[in-house]
Amino acid sequence: MRTELRVLDPSIWDDWYGKLVLAFGGVPEAPEESALWRELTECERSIGAWDGTDIVGTAGLFSFRLSVPGGGIVPAAGVTMVSVQATHRRRGVLRAMMRRQLDDIRAAGDEPLAVLTASEPDIYGRFGYGAATQNAYAEIDTTQVRLTVPEGAGDVRLRAVPLESAVEACEAVYARRVRTRPGMLERIPGWERVPLLDPPGDREGASPLRCVLAESGGEVSGYVRFAVKPDWDLAGPKGTVVLRDLEARDPASYAALWRFLFDLDLTSVIRTGSRPVDDPWQLLVSDIRRCALRLRDSLFVRLVDVGAALEARAYTTPVETVLEVTDPFCPWNEGRWRLSGDAKGASCERTDDAADLRLGVRDLGAAYLGGVPLTALAGAGRVQEARQGALTEATTAFATPVAPWLPHGF
């Protein structure tokens, strides 16, 4: 079998996207959902794999801007809409598309990183992508768990507003949060609508999304978007609050929004969407054991240009180390790199000096945002220390004060 990779012609988007939907089970999406993804698709950065007249593979890229340690924003290629038809699996189609994407990203020279979320986490490691962030999910029993809020939460004004009319205010809060936590995406035009997607067929008995704003000092200081799924038994109401997203600029507004969710009438459970693993609500509750907390991998990071990527972030403590990187899929990254950096910035250049640490590009991607300690990777045998003390030094420098987090998928 020989397949041909072609750039996506916008006129055949429906067929191309239909093959993607088919590969993921074939259940049609709601019209508003597919319409939004059509609008967001960058056709010039999307490809199809063709076998004769048939599309047998799809892959796309989004032009993202990603927050990195130190508060910087770095261009990143968001790998998306990747699929291979069942008739053509294990024939090199995925590998060919991954090869084409990374070659194109490197040739353009604008994005030192590629990022993705994976339907199956073991697929992309062989192409150099490392799991760099985790999301936390919870089901909080609000009949048994109490919430303690900090001083000032009672002074925060809460106001219910129509979902669409609150978008500008919510986005202003979100934009101020992006640089405070690695792994968040700047919302380029159109992406503010992604968190609002709410097809009736996906609600599973819950209400349409609702929005409440927090206001402090006369300004919007936070927001929460949620739905309520009613339920009753012989003992009475036991509805579920379905939390979509919650952001706030200060602890009082944050706690006031959480207290609002805890106090909603006729409910007994809060089921969260993805939250940071260090989300402060975990320290406001009286009994974390009754919150059914669980973790899942989220953002995978791939360094397309090792030197440029390591220079693009800052480091918590001063670091001076030589990294020997292996990267068989992108051999231009192979070799030794001298990283010199601190909280103000960094430089990373090729060197012939002896290595201090040895690791693969996948593991460098996992550690890049500060969420996976190099010491943990070393404990798994995936990082080797060549100079005594280098592992501790680098681990401390790569660490971040807050856990990296991807707020929504793509």
Side-chain angles (χ1 to χ4, degrees):
M1 183 201 73
R2 295 186 62 184
T3 57
E4 179 186 0
L5 300 183
R6 304 178 196 168
V7 175
L8 176 61
D9 185 328
S11 67
I12 63 166
W13 186 90
D14 287 334
D15 188 18
W16 180 86
Y17 193 75
K19 292 300 179 67
L20 171 69
V21 172
L22 182 62
F24 278 85
V27 179
E29 291 182 338
E32 62 268 32
E33 193 169 3
S34 58
L36 177 57
W37 291 120
R38 178 168 190 157
E39 181 180 326
L40 294 176
T41 300
E42 299 178 35
C43 291
E44 71 282 3
R45 304 197 74 187
S46 302
I47 53 177
W50 293 75
D51 181 4
T53 59
D54 296 328
I55 300 173
V56 297
T58 65
L61 293 172
F62 290 127
S63 302
F64 284 145
R65 288 171 54 79
L66 179 77
S67 61
V68 297
I73 302 292
V74 176
V79 177
T80 186
M81 302 182 189
V82 178
S83 72
V84 176
Q85 293 303 300
T87 54
H88 286 69
R89 295 190 188 279
R90 297 179 177 84
R91 300 187 185 184
V93 176
L94 177 61
R95 182 180 181 86
M97 293 191 297
M98 294 292 101
R99 172 82 279 141
R100 170 70 172 270
Q101 282 190 329
L102 289 168
D103 287 345
D104 287 350
I105 296 167
R106 184 196 182 205
D110 300 321
E111 296 159 324
L113 300 172
V115 296
L116 57 81
T117 60
S119 57
E120 297 177 87
D122 65 343
I123 292 177
Y124 293 99
R126 63 185 184 272
F127 306 122
Y129 290 87
T133 76
Q134 291 184 310
N135 287 348
Y137 299 83
E139 290 195 6
I140 306 169
D141 181 353
T142 54
T143 67
Q144 299 293 323
V145 178
R146 300 183 312 279
L147 193 75
T148 302
V149 300
E151 185 177 350
D155 298 327
V156 177
R157 180 193 180 204
L158 301 182
R159 183 164 58 93
V161 293
L163 191 68
E164 293 288 346
S165 65
V167 172
E168 184 176 353
C170 294
E171 288 303 302
V173 173
Y174 178 88
R176 292 182 63 167
R177 298 289 297 159
V178 168
R179 291 178 182 269
T180 68
R181 187 181 290 275
M184 296 182 72
L185 300 173
E186 274 194 345
R187 295 253 175 84
I188 54 181
W191 282 87
E192 75 283 352
R193 293 165 54 195
V194 171
L196 305 182
L197 281 173
D198 186 32
D202 292 348
R203 293 175 186 162
E204 299 181 339
S207 70
L209 275 180
R210 297 159 57 182
C211 181
V212 167
L213 298 180
E215 296 177 344
S216 181
E219 296 183 354
V220 174
S221 53
Y223 66 89
V224 61
R225 290 188 280 230
F226 67 99
V228 174
K229 183 178 181 179
D231 194 13
W232 301 76
D233 63 14
L234 293 178
K238 55 172 188 174
T240 298
V241 180
V242 182
L243 173 60
R244 171 69 62 87
D245 52 0
L246 185 155
E247 293 289 343
R249 288 166 34 193
D250 58 78
S253 299
Y254 174 87
L257 290 167
W258 273 100
R259 182 168 61 184
F260 165 79
L261 297 177
F262 266 70
D263 291 345
L264 279 168
D265 290 337
L266 310 181
T267 67
S268 60
V269 173
I270 298 173
R271 187 172 73 232
T272 75
S274 69
R275 302 297 304 168
V277 298
D278 59 351
D279 208 5
W281 70 262
Q282 298 171 61
L283 302 176
L284 300 178
V285 297
S286 60
D287 189 349
I288 194 65
R289 295 183 187 180
R290 293 183 182 271
C291 297
L293 193 66
R294 63 195 189 280
L295 303 179
R296 180 177 172 175
D297 60 271
S298 180
L299 188 68
F300 287 66
V301 172
R302 210 273 186 228
L303 278 65
V304 180
D305 182 329
V306 165
L310 293 177
E311 287 182 349
R313 58 156 291 178
Y315 297 85
T316 303
T317 58
V319 60
E320 182 79 26
T321 193
V322 175
L323 306 174
E324 185 172 309
V325 179
T326 56
D327 189 354
F329 198 68
C330 294
W332 60 79
N333 283 324
E334 296 235 342
R336 293 192 290 274
W337 298 84
R338 176 169 290 282
L339 172 64
S340 303
D342 56 24
K344 296 180 180 179
S347 65
C348 188
E349 299 177 347
R350 289 195 175 275
T351 181
D352 293 326
D353 294 344
D356 296 321
L357 297 174
R358 298 187 179 94
L359 72 171
V361 75
R362 180 185 68 164
D363 302 307
L364 192 55
Y368 182 77
L369 293 176
V372 179
L374 288 166
T375 46
L377 292 165
R382 290 163 54 178
V383 175
Q384 291 78 44
E385 183 180 50
R387 175 179 62 82
Q388 187 174 3
L391 180 61
T392 298
E393 294 167 9
T395 300
T396 304
F398 271 74
T400 54
V402 295
W405 174 57
L406 176 69
H408 58 77
F410 52 88

PDB file of all heavy atoms in Angstrom, residues 139-143 205-207 227-233 235-242 261-271:
ATOM      1  N   GLU A 139     -15.480  14.165  42.733  1.00  0.00           N
ATOM      2  CA  GLU A 139     -16.911  14.140  43.025  1.00  0.00           C
ATOM      3  C   GLU A 139     -17.041  14.393  44.527  1.00  0.00           C
ATOM      4  O   GLU A 139     -16.746  13.514  45.340  1.00  0.00           O
ATOM      5  CB  GLU A 139     -17.547  12.814  42.621  1.00  0.00           C
ATOM      6  CG  GLU A 139     -17.630  12.635  41.112  1.00  0.00           C
ATOM      7  CD  GLU A 139     -18.574  11.517  40.702  1.00  0.00           C
ATOM      8  OE1 GLU A 139     -19.255  10.962  41.593  1.00  0.00           O
ATOM      9  OE2 GLU A 139     -18.627  11.216  39.497  1.00  0.00           O
ATOM     10  N   ILE A 140     -17.468  15.584  44.873  1.00  0.00           N
ATOM     11  CA  ILE A 140     -17.463  16.052  46.253  1.00  0.00           C
ATOM     12  C   ILE A 140     -18.840  15.839  46.873  1.00  0.00           C
ATOM     13  O   ILE A 140     -19.852  16.340  46.351  1.00  0.00           O
ATOM     14  CB  ILE A 140     -17.083  17.545  46.313  1.00  0.00           C
ATOM     15  CG1 ILE A 140     -15.751  17.781  45.592  1.00  0.00           C
ATOM     16  CG2 ILE A 140     -17.025  18.033  47.757  1.00  0.00           C
ATOM     17  CD1 ILE A 140     -15.437  19.254  45.370  1.00  0.00           C
ATOM     18  N   ASP A 141     -18.879  15.106  47.961  1.00  0.00           N
ATOM     19  CA  ASP A 141     -20.131  14.854  48.684  1.00  0.00           C
ATOM     20  C   ASP A 141     -20.412  16.060  49.580  1.00  0.00           C
ATOM     21  O   ASP A 141     -19.889  16.155  50.697  1.00  0.00           O
ATOM     22  CB  ASP A 141     -19.997  13.572  49.501  1.00  0.00           C
ATOM     23  CG  ASP A 141     -21.266  13.221  50.263  1.00  0.00           C
ATOM     24  OD1 ASP A 141     -22.213  14.036  50.259  1.00  0.00           O
ATOM     25  OD2 ASP A 141     -21.307  12.129  50.864  1.00  0.00           O
ATOM     26  N   THR A 142     -21.238  16.961  49.108  1.00  0.00           N
ATOM     27  CA  THR A 142     -21.474  18.208  49.851  1.00  0.00           C
ATOM     28  C   THR A 142     -22.393  18.015  51.051  1.00  0.00           C
ATOM     29  O   THR A 142     -22.562  18.948  51.837  1.00  0.00           O
ATOM     30  CB  THR A 142     -22.056  19.283  48.923  1.00  0.00           C
ATOM     31  OG1 THR A 142     -23.228  18.783  48.263  1.00  0.00           O
ATOM     32  CG2 THR A 142     -21.034  19.677  47.866  1.00  0.00           C
ATOM     33  N   THR A 143     -22.958  16.820  51.227  1.00  0.00           N
ATOM     34  CA  THR A 143     -23.728  16.555  52.448  1.00  0.00           C
ATOM     35  C   THR A 143     -22.821  16.200  53.609  1.00  0.00           C
ATOM     36  O   THR A 143     -23.229  16.291  54.771  1.00  0.00           O
ATOM     37  CB  THR A 143     -24.738  15.409  52.232  1.00  0.00           C
ATOM     38  OG1 THR A 143     -24.027  14.178  52.018  1.00  0.00           O
ATOM     39  CG2 THR A 143     -25.628  15.696  51.032  1.00  0.00           C
ATOM     40  N   GLY A 205     -28.854  14.631  30.931  1.00  0.00           N
ATOM     41  CA  GLY A 205     -29.892  14.987  31.889  1.00  0.00           C
ATOM     42  C   GLY A 205     -29.642  16.261  32.669  1.00  0.00           C
ATOM     43  O   GLY A 205     -30.488  16.662  33.489  1.00  0.00           O
ATOM     44  N   ALA A 206     -28.509  16.916  32.440  1.00  0.00           N
ATOM     45  CA  ALA A 206     -28.208  18.160  33.152  1.00  0.00           C
ATOM     46  C   ALA A 206     -28.829  19.358  32.436  1.00  0.00           C
ATOM     47  O   ALA A 206     -29.206  19.290  31.267  1.00  0.00           O
ATOM     48  CB  ALA A 206     -26.702  18.350  33.275  1.00  0.00           C
ATOM     49  N   SER A 207     -28.876  20.456  33.144  1.00  0.00           N
ATOM     50  CA  SER A 207     -29.414  21.696  32.591  1.00  0.00           C
ATOM     51  C   SER A 207     -28.449  22.295  31.579  1.00  0.00           C
ATOM     52  O   SER A 207     -27.286  21.880  31.484  1.00  0.00           O
ATOM     53  CB  SER A 207     -29.632  22.701  33.723  1.00  0.00           C
ATOM     54  OG  SER A 207     -28.365  23.147  34.224  1.00  0.00           O
ATOM     55  N   ALA A 227     -23.538  23.427  35.357  1.00  0.00           N
ATOM     56  CA  ALA A 227     -24.891  22.958  35.097  1.00  0.00           C
ATOM     57  C   ALA A 227     -25.368  22.192  36.324  1.00  0.00           C
ATOM     58  O   ALA A 227     -24.572  21.857  37.214  1.00  0.00           O
ATOM     59  CB  ALA A 227     -24.923  22.055  33.861  1.00  0.00           C
ATOM     60  N   VAL A 228     -26.663  21.912  36.378  1.00  0.00           N
ATOM     61  CA  VAL A 228     -27.234  21.139  37.480  1.00  0.00           C
ATOM     62  C   VAL A 228     -28.007  19.959  36.893  1.00  0.00           C
ATOM     63  O   VAL A 228     -28.825  20.126  35.980  1.00  0.00           O
ATOM     64  CB  VAL A 228     -28.169  21.994  38.355  1.00  0.00           C
ATOM     65  CG1 VAL A 228     -28.862  21.122  39.405  1.00  0.00           C
ATOM     66  CG2 VAL A 228     -27.385  23.106  39.038  1.00  0.00           C
ATOM     67  N   LYS A 229     -27.701  18.780  37.419  1.00  0.00           N
ATOM     68  CA  LYS A 229     -28.409  17.567  37.009  1.00  0.00           C
ATOM     69  C   LYS A 229     -29.323  17.142  38.154  1.00  0.00           C
ATOM     70  O   LYS A 229     -28.858  16.609  39.169  1.00  0.00           O
ATOM     71  CB  LYS A 229     -27.404  16.460  36.687  1.00  0.00           C
ATOM     72  CG  LYS A 229     -28.050  15.180  36.191  1.00  0.00           C
ATOM     73  CD  LYS A 229     -26.992  14.141  35.841  1.00  0.00           C
ATOM     74  CE  LYS A 229     -27.649  12.857  35.320  1.00  0.00           C
ATOM     75  NZ  LYS A 229     -26.626  11.841  34.962  1.00  0.00           N
ATOM     76  N   PRO A 230     -30.640  17.376  38.028  1.00  0.00           N
ATOM     77  CA  PRO A 230     -31.555  17.041  39.122  1.00  0.00           C
ATOM     78  C   PRO A 230     -31.669  15.532  39.324  1.00  0.00           C
ATOM     79  O   PRO A 230     -31.551  14.745  38.377  1.00  0.00           O
ATOM     80  CB  PRO A 230     -32.893  17.632  38.652  1.00  0.00           C
ATOM     81  CG  PRO A 230     -32.551  18.565  37.525  1.00  0.00           C
ATOM     82  CD  PRO A 230     -31.319  18.004  36.891  1.00  0.00           C
ATOM     83  N   ASP A 231     -31.889  15.131  40.546  1.00  0.00           N
ATOM     84  CA  ASP A 231     -32.127  13.728  40.865  1.00  0.00           C
ATOM     85  C   ASP A 231     -32.847  13.668  42.204  1.00  0.00           C
ATOM     86  O   ASP A 231     -32.649  14.546  43.069  1.00  0.00           O
ATOM     87  CB  ASP A 231     -30.808  12.949  40.923  1.00  0.00           C
ATOM     88  CG  ASP A 231     -31.031  11.442  40.919  1.00  0.00           C
ATOM     89  OD1 ASP A 231     -32.161  11.008  40.623  1.00  0.00           O
ATOM     90  OD2 ASP A 231     -30.070  10.700  41.209  1.00  0.00           O
ATOM     91  N   TRP A 232     -33.716  12.651  42.375  1.00  0.00           N
ATOM     92  CA  TRP A 232     -34.496  12.495  43.606  1.00  0.00           C
ATOM     93  C   TRP A 232     -34.573  11.021  43.954  1.00  0.00           C
ATOM     94  O   TRP A 232     -34.539  10.155  43.085  1.00  0.00           O
ATOM     95  CB  TRP A 232     -35.928  13.015  43.410  1.00  0.00           C
ATOM     96  CG  TRP A 232     -36.001  14.468  43.001  1.00  0.00           C
ATOM     97  CD1 TRP A 232     -35.746  14.992  41.768  1.00  0.00           C
ATOM     98  CD2 TRP A 232     -36.337  15.558  43.843  1.00  0.00           C
ATOM     99  NE1 TRP A 232     -35.908  16.359  41.791  1.00  0.00           N
ATOM    100  CE2 TRP A 232     -36.278  16.741  43.048  1.00  0.00           C
ATOM    101  CE3 TRP A 232     -36.701  15.668  45.188  1.00  0.00           C
ATOM    102  CZ2 TRP A 232     -36.558  17.991  43.556  1.00  0.00           C
ATOM    103  CZ3 TRP A 232     -36.993  16.928  45.699  1.00  0.00           C
ATOM    104  CH2 TRP A 232     -36.909  18.072  44.892  1.00  0.00           C
ATOM    105  N   ASP A 233     -34.636  10.736  45.239  1.00  0.00           N
ATOM    106  CA  ASP A 233     -35.006   9.401  45.688  1.00  0.00           C
ATOM    107  C   ASP A 233     -35.971   9.547  46.851  1.00  0.00           C
ATOM    108  O   ASP A 233     -36.434  10.666  47.139  1.00  0.00           O
ATOM    109  CB  ASP A 233     -33.778   8.559  46.045  1.00  0.00           C
ATOM    110  CG  ASP A 233     -32.970   9.123  47.204  1.00  0.00           C
ATOM    111  OD1 ASP A 233     -33.489  10.014  47.920  1.00  0.00           O
ATOM    112  OD2 ASP A 233     -31.827   8.681  47.403  1.00  0.00           O
ATOM    113  N   ALA A 235     -35.536   9.612  49.883  1.00  0.00           N
ATOM    114  CA  ALA A 235     -35.039  10.462  50.967  1.00  0.00           C
ATOM    115  C   ALA A 235     -35.061  11.946  50.603  1.00  0.00           C
ATOM    116  O   ALA A 235     -34.854  12.794  51.466  1.00  0.00           O
ATOM    117  CB  ALA A 235     -33.626  10.052  51.340  1.00  0.00           C
ATOM    118  N   GLY A 236     -35.292  12.238  49.305  1.00  0.00           N
ATOM    119  CA  GLY A 236     -35.331  13.645  48.915  1.00  0.00           C
ATOM    120  C   GLY A 236     -34.399  13.942  47.748  1.00  0.00           C
ATOM    121  O   GLY A 236     -33.938  13.035  47.039  1.00  0.00           O
ATOM    122  N   PRO A 237     -34.067  15.222  47.557  1.00  0.00           N
ATOM    123  CA  PRO A 237     -33.242  15.620  46.406  1.00  0.00           C
ATOM    124  C   PRO A 237     -31.780  15.221  46.588  1.00  0.00           C
ATOM    125  O   PRO A 237     -31.243  15.257  47.693  1.00  0.00           O
ATOM    126  CB  PRO A 237     -33.392  17.135  46.385  1.00  0.00           C
ATOM    127  CG  PRO A 237     -33.693  17.509  47.794  1.00  0.00           C
ATOM    128  CD  PRO A 237     -34.505  16.380  48.354  1.00  0.00           C
ATOM    129  N   LYS A 238     -31.155  14.817  45.487  1.00  0.00           N
ATOM    130  CA  LYS A 238     -29.722  14.493  45.503  1.00  0.00           C
ATOM    131  C   LYS A 238     -29.101  14.843  44.147  1.00  0.00           C
ATOM    132  O   LYS A 238     -28.407  14.031  43.525  1.00  0.00           O
ATOM    133  CB  LYS A 238     -29.496  13.017  45.839  1.00  0.00           C
ATOM    134  CG  LYS A 238     -30.231  12.041  44.921  1.00  0.00           C
ATOM    135  CD  LYS A 238     -29.804  10.617  45.205  1.00  0.00           C
ATOM    136  CE  LYS A 238     -30.371   9.660  44.166  1.00  0.00           C
ATOM    137  NZ  LYS A 238     -29.862   8.285  44.325  1.00  0.00           N
ATOM    138  N   GLY A 239     -29.366  16.068  43.734  1.00  0.00           N
ATOM    139  CA  GLY A 239     -28.869  16.524  42.443  1.00  0.00           C
ATOM    140  C   GLY A 239     -27.359  16.696  42.419  1.00  0.00           C
ATOM    141  O   GLY A 239     -26.690  16.724  43.457  1.00  0.00           O
ATOM    142  N   THR A 240     -26.817  16.819  41.198  1.00  0.00           N
ATOM    143  CA  THR A 240     -25.377  16.965  40.992  1.00  0.00           C
ATOM    144  C   THR A 240     -25.085  18.297  40.324  1.00  0.00           C
ATOM    145  O   THR A 240     -25.714  18.660  39.321  1.00  0.00           O
ATOM    146  CB  THR A 240     -24.834  15.832  40.103  1.00  0.00           C
ATOM    147  OG1 THR A 240     -25.043  14.581  40.764  1.00  0.00           O
ATOM    148  CG2 THR A 240     -23.349  16.011  39.825  1.00  0.00           C
ATOM    149  N   VAL A 241     -24.120  19.025  40.875  1.00  0.00           N
ATOM    150  CA  VAL A 241     -23.591  20.231  40.242  1.00  0.00           C
ATOM    151  C   VAL A 241     -22.458  19.795  39.318  1.00  0.00           C
ATOM    152  O   VAL A 241     -21.497  19.151  39.772  1.00  0.00           O
ATOM    153  CB  VAL A 241     -23.056  21.236  41.280  1.00  0.00           C
ATOM    154  CG1 VAL A 241     -22.504  22.476  40.588  1.00  0.00           C
ATOM    155  CG2 VAL A 241     -24.152  21.600  42.270  1.00  0.00           C
ATOM    156  N   VAL A 242     -22.573  20.113  38.054  1.00  0.00           N
ATOM    157  CA  VAL A 242     -21.553  19.747  37.070  1.00  0.00           C
ATOM    158  C   VAL A 242     -20.713  20.992  36.784  1.00  0.00           C
ATOM    159  O   VAL A 242     -21.163  21.908  36.100  1.00  0.00           O
ATOM    160  CB  VAL A 242     -22.194  19.206  35.783  1.00  0.00           C
ATOM    161  CG1 VAL A 242     -21.113  18.780  34.795  1.00  0.00           C
ATOM    162  CG2 VAL A 242     -23.146  18.054  36.096  1.00  0.00           C
ATOM    163  N   LEU A 261     -21.305  27.064  44.907  1.00  0.00           N
ATOM    164  CA  LEU A 261     -21.574  25.723  44.382  1.00  0.00           C
ATOM    165  C   LEU A 261     -21.975  24.768  45.499  1.00  0.00           C
ATOM    166  O   LEU A 261     -22.887  23.948  45.338  1.00  0.00           O
ATOM    167  CB  LEU A 261     -20.341  25.188  43.654  1.00  0.00           C
ATOM    168  CG  LEU A 261     -19.872  25.959  42.418  1.00  0.00           C
ATOM    169  CD1 LEU A 261     -18.599  25.330  41.856  1.00  0.00           C
ATOM    170  CD2 LEU A 261     -20.944  26.017  41.349  1.00  0.00           C
ATOM    171  N   PHE A 262     -21.310  24.865  46.651  1.00  0.00           N
ATOM    172  CA  PHE A 262     -21.639  23.998  47.787  1.00  0.00           C
ATOM    173  C   PHE A 262     -23.058  24.242  48.290  1.00  0.00           C
ATOM    174  O   PHE A 262     -23.698  23.303  48.782  1.00  0.00           O
ATOM    175  CB  PHE A 262     -20.647  24.244  48.925  1.00  0.00           C
ATOM    176  CG  PHE A 262     -19.477  23.302  48.942  1.00  0.00           C
ATOM    177  CD1 PHE A 262     -18.485  23.379  47.967  1.00  0.00           C
ATOM    178  CD2 PHE A 262     -19.351  22.339  49.925  1.00  0.00           C
ATOM    179  CE1 PHE A 262     -17.401  22.519  47.973  1.00  0.00           C
ATOM    180  CE2 PHE A 262     -18.269  21.471  49.940  1.00  0.00           C
ATOM    181  CZ  PHE A 262     -17.291  21.559  48.966  1.00  0.00           C
ATOM    182  N   ASP A 263     -23.528  25.460  48.175  1.00  0.00           N
ATOM    183  CA  ASP A 263     -24.809  25.838  48.775  1.00  0.00           C
ATOM    184  C   ASP A 263     -25.993  25.729  47.821  1.00  0.00           C
ATOM    185  O   ASP A 263     -27.119  26.085  48.205  1.00  0.00           O
ATOM    186  CB  ASP A 263     -24.734  27.274  49.305  1.00  0.00           C
ATOM    187  CG  ASP A 263     -23.820  27.408  50.513  1.00  0.00           C
ATOM    188  OD1 ASP A 263     -23.474  26.367  51.108  1.00  0.00           O
ATOM    189  OD2 ASP A 263     -23.439  28.547  50.849  1.00  0.00           O
ATOM    190  N   LEU A 264     -25.784  25.274  46.595  1.00  0.00           N
ATOM    191  CA  LEU A 264     -26.906  25.192  45.657  1.00  0.00           C
ATOM    192  C   LEU A 264     -27.982  24.244  46.180  1.00  0.00           C
ATOM    193  O   LEU A 264     -27.695  23.108  46.586  1.00  0.00           O
ATOM    194  CB  LEU A 264     -26.415  24.726  44.291  1.00  0.00           C
ATOM    195  CG  LEU A 264     -25.792  25.821  43.410  1.00  0.00           C
ATOM    196  CD1 LEU A 264     -25.087  25.201  42.211  1.00  0.00           C
ATOM    197  CD2 LEU A 264     -26.860  26.802  42.944  1.00  0.00           C
ATOM    198  N   ASP A 265     -29.213  24.719  46.173  1.00  0.00           N
ATOM    199  CA  ASP A 265     -30.329  23.922  46.683  1.00  0.00           C
ATOM    200  C   ASP A 265     -30.534  22.656  45.864  1.00  0.00           C
ATOM    201  O   ASP A 265     -30.246  22.599  44.659  1.00  0.00           O
ATOM    202  CB  ASP A 265     -31.618  24.750  46.647  1.00  0.00           C
ATOM    203  CG  ASP A 265     -31.615  25.867  47.681  1.00  0.00           C
ATOM    204  OD1 ASP A 265     -30.879  25.750  48.676  1.00  0.00           O
ATOM    205  OD2 ASP A 265     -32.348  26.859  47.476  1.00  0.00           O
ATOM    206  N   LEU A 266     -31.036  21.627  46.526  1.00  0.00           N
ATOM    207  CA  LEU A 266     -31.463  20.371  45.906  1.00  0.00           C
ATOM    208  C   LEU A 266     -30.309  19.578  45.300  1.00  0.00           C
ATOM    209  O   LEU A 266     -30.515  18.713  44.457  1.00  0.00           O
ATOM    210  CB  LEU A 266     -32.539  20.616  44.830  1.00  0.00           C
ATOM    211  CG  LEU A 266     -33.728  21.493  45.235  1.00  0.00           C
ATOM    212  CD1 LEU A 266     -34.711  21.621  44.067  1.00  0.00           C
ATOM    213  CD2 LEU A 266     -34.423  20.923  46.460  1.00  0.00           C
ATOM    214  N   THR A 267     -29.091  19.854  45.738  1.00  0.00           N
ATOM    215  CA  THR A 267     -27.934  19.116  45.238  1.00  0.00           C
ATOM    216  C   THR A 267     -27.154  18.512  46.402  1.00  0.00           C
ATOM    217  O   THR A 267     -27.193  19.031  47.526  1.00  0.00           O
ATOM    218  CB  THR A 267     -26.996  19.996  44.401  1.00  0.00           C
ATOM    219  OG1 THR A 267     -26.388  20.988  45.249  1.00  0.00           O
ATOM    220  CG2 THR A 267     -27.748  20.686  43.270  1.00  0.00           C
ATOM    221  N   SER A 268     -26.412  17.436  46.112  1.00  0.00           N
ATOM    222  CA  SER A 268     -25.613  16.784  47.153  1.00  0.00           C
ATOM    223  C   SER A 268     -24.217  16.412  46.674  1.00  0.00           C
ATOM    224  O   SER A 268     -23.424  15.886  47.457  1.00  0.00           O
ATOM    225  CB  SER A 268     -26.321  15.516  47.649  1.00  0.00           C
ATOM    226  OG  SER A 268     -26.505  14.604  46.579  1.00  0.00           O
ATOM    227  N   VAL A 269     -23.913  16.673  45.407  1.00  0.00           N
ATOM    228  CA  VAL A 269     -22.620  16.316  44.843  1.00  0.00           C
ATOM    229  C   VAL A 269     -22.161  17.430  43.907  1.00  0.00           C
ATOM    230  O   VAL A 269     -22.969  18.006  43.175  1.00  0.00           O
ATOM    231  CB  VAL A 269     -22.685  14.986  44.052  1.00  0.00           C
ATOM    232  CG1 VAL A 269     -21.373  14.712  43.316  1.00  0.00           C
ATOM    233  CG2 VAL A 269     -23.011  13.823  44.973  1.00  0.00           C
ATOM    234  N   ILE A 270     -20.867  17.737  43.941  1.00  0.00           N
ATOM    235  CA  ILE A 270     -20.240  18.572  42.922  1.00  0.00           C
ATOM    236  C   ILE A 270     -19.311  17.667  42.124  1.00  0.00           C
ATOM    237  O   ILE A 270     -18.396  17.059  42.695  1.00  0.00           O
ATOM    238  CB  ILE A 270     -19.439  19.735  43.523  1.00  0.00           C
ATOM    239  CG1 ILE A 270     -20.346  20.679  44.310  1.00  0.00           C
ATOM    240  CG2 ILE A 270     -18.710  20.516  42.419  1.00  0.00           C
ATOM    241  CD1 ILE A 270     -19.585  21.754  45.071  1.00  0.00           C
ATOM    242  N   ARG A 271     -19.554  17.562  40.823  1.00  0.00           N
ATOM    243  CA  ARG A 271     -18.675  16.788  39.943  1.00  0.00           C
ATOM    244  C   ARG A 271     -17.880  17.763  39.085  1.00  0.00           C
ATOM    245  O   ARG A 271     -18.442  18.500  38.287  1.00  0.00           O
ATOM    246  CB  ARG A 271     -19.488  15.846  39.051  1.00  0.00           C
ATOM    247  CG  ARG A 271     -18.609  14.895  38.241  1.00  0.00           C
ATOM    248  CD  ARG A 271     -19.419  13.856  37.512  1.00  0.00           C
ATOM    249  NE  ARG A 271     -20.138  14.418  36.376  1.00  0.00           N
ATOM    250  CZ  ARG A 271     -21.438  14.278  36.156  1.00  0.00           C
ATOM    251  NH1 ARG A 271     -22.187  13.640  37.041  1.00  0.00           N
ATOM    252  NH2 ARG A 271     -21.995  14.792  35.085  1.00  0.00           N
TER     253      ARG A 271
END
